[in-house]
Amino acid sequence: MKRNLKYQFFIVIILLLGLSSCLQKQIDIKLPPFKSMLVVEGYLEKGKPFTVAVSQTSNFFAAPDLNAVFLRKATVILSYKNVVDTLVFNPIPDLKHLKWFNYQLKNKDTVPLTNGTTYFLKVIDSTGRVATAQTTWMDSVKIDSVKQVITKINNFKYDTSMHVFFKDPSGSQNYYRFVAVDHSRNDSVRVDNYGSDQLLGGQVISLSTGHNYRHGDTCDITLYHIDNAYYTFLSTSELADNANGNPFASPATIISNISGGTGIFTVLPESNRRVVFK
């Protein structure tokens, strides 16, 4: 009897598999022709060389080809006030942030950055495509103080973190990016967050460097005062990244301040502290 039931069950499975194969139908989806666009990424930072990454989007189904993605023949122009600077091709890998910048200033490696000055970037590639963007420098919001906080978890374990305090300017919407790097552990990024002062405008804001630091650890803290364009770019990029490969997520579009392409050109005023845990 048991043998008969096993046999019948086996036959049912075979029939179901056969039925499912009959119901399958191959569907050909005609995709629109792929059109590549310029991708531009550049950051203005005090005391740091100004470099720009110029690339183009590639077909998702094409084989990876860095030579086809990063452009060698492009005209990259930075202008502000009465100054016009043309950048030159010089590939510079940024291994720390896993980025590849391929254009830099020819005669000077830094740009004078003053509050309220607007900077314009223009990129023209060999096919005639043009991408433009602009950004305005603003003074950084300074870190006021830091305080080590030790929290008792149980009789044998304690958690150590560092709280960072700064005063948010009143009268305007402000945006921040906060990064904490554990210098004692191979420069590992412990915190990298961004947000606005929507609920804390004009108040003293406290941020944490994360937990589980040890005695003697050195942490590099950076508070970036960013603009709305960069904040929007970061948040929409995160949404697009989360949606990539997730069939249940809604499609997301990256909002860029690059006209004629995509990417970001922005200022990064910053305030830094290096702290040692005691």
Side-chain angles (χ1 to χ4, degrees):
M1 184 68 177
K2 289 183 178 178
R3 189 171 182 180
N4 266 342
L5 287 174
K6 288 183 179 179
Y7 178 75
Q8 291 173 7
F9 179 75
F10 179 73
I11 294 298
V12 170
I13 294 297
I14 294 296
L15 290 174
L16 288 175
L17 289 174
L19 180 62
S20 65
S21 64
C22 293
L23 293 176
Q24 288 180 355
K25 183 178 179 181
Q26 183 174 338
I27 300 175
D28 294 326
I29 301 176
K30 188 175 181 180
L31 298 174
F34 172 75
K35 186 178 180 180
S36 180
M37 69 167 61
L38 286 173
V39 181
V40 179
E41 183 178 9
Y43 305 96
L44 288 167
E45 301 179 76
K46 277 197 172 180
K48 295 183 180 181
F50 178 60
T51 56
V52 177
V54 180
S55 59
Q56 62 182 346
T57 56
S58 60
N59 194 326
F60 181 81
F61 300 102
D65 184 358
L66 289 180
N67 291 323
V69 172
F70 288 93
L71 304 181
R72 298 176 59 90
K73 297 180 179 179
T75 301
V76 183
I77 302 170
L78 174 72
S79 58
Y80 53 96
K81 294 183 178 179
N82 295 319
V83 178
V84 178
D85 274 328
T86 300
L87 282 70
V88 295
F89 180 76
N90 185 23
I92 304 171
D94 183 352
L95 300 178
K96 183 177 180 180
H97 300 98
L98 299 179
K99 294 179 180 292
W100 183 273
F101 295 91
N102 47 353
Y103 288 85
Q104 70 170 16
L105 289 176
K106 181 179 180 180
N107 296 322
K108 52 182 179 292
D109 59 359
T110 60
V111 177
L113 302 171
T114 55
N115 190 43
T117 300
T118 299
Y119 300 83
F120 302 88
L121 187 67
K122 185 175 185 179
V123 176
I124 309 170
D125 80 338
S126 59
T127 66
R129 292 179 296 183
V130 179
T132 59
Q134 67 181 66
T135 187
T136 302
W137 182 263
M138 53 189 174
D139 289 336
S140 61
V141 174
K142 302 297 184 183
I143 295 173
D144 292 324
S145 60
V146 294
K147 179 182 179 182
Q148 183 169 310
V149 177
I150 301 175
T151 305
K152 183 178 180 180
I153 299 176
N154 52 47
N155 290 332
F156 307 99
K157 188 175 182 180
Y158 293 83
D159 178 62
T160 306
S161 64
M162 194 75 71
H163 287 194
V164 181
F165 299 89
F166 64 94
K167 178 70 166 60
D168 176 70
S170 59
S172 63
Q173 182 84 51
N174 293 287
Y175 305 88
Y176 302 98
R177 184 173 185 176
F178 179 74
V179 181
V181 176
D182 193 342
H183 186 65
S184 302
R185 303 188 196 180
N186 299 318
D187 287 337
S188 60
V189 178
R190 300 292 297 277
V191 174
D192 187 352
N193 297 327
Y194 58 90
S196 73
D197 66 348
Q198 187 172 5
L199 301 176
L200 298 168
Q203 300 182 36
V204 174
I205 298 177
S206 173
L207 300 174
S208 173
T209 58
H211 302 277
N212 300 319
Y213 287 88
R214 299 173 300 193
H215 174 76
D217 279 356
T218 301
C219 183
D220 290 325
I221 302 166
T222 304
L223 176 68
Y224 296 101
H225 187 195
I226 64 178
D227 59 15
N228 177 261
Y230 189 38
Y231 171 79
T232 304
F233 175 77
L234 288 173
S235 55
T236 55
S237 296
E238 183 177 16
L239 289 174
D241 186 56
N242 292 337
N244 187 26
N246 184 353
F248 303 105
S250 301
T253 301
I254 297 176
I255 300 177
S256 164
N257 70 340
I258 305 293
S259 177
T262 189
I264 188 68
F265 171 56
T266 190
V267 296
L268 285 181
E270 62 184 64
S271 179
N272 307 94
R273 285 286 183 94
R274 170 168 282 191
V275 295
V276 179
F277 286 83
K278 299 178 181 179

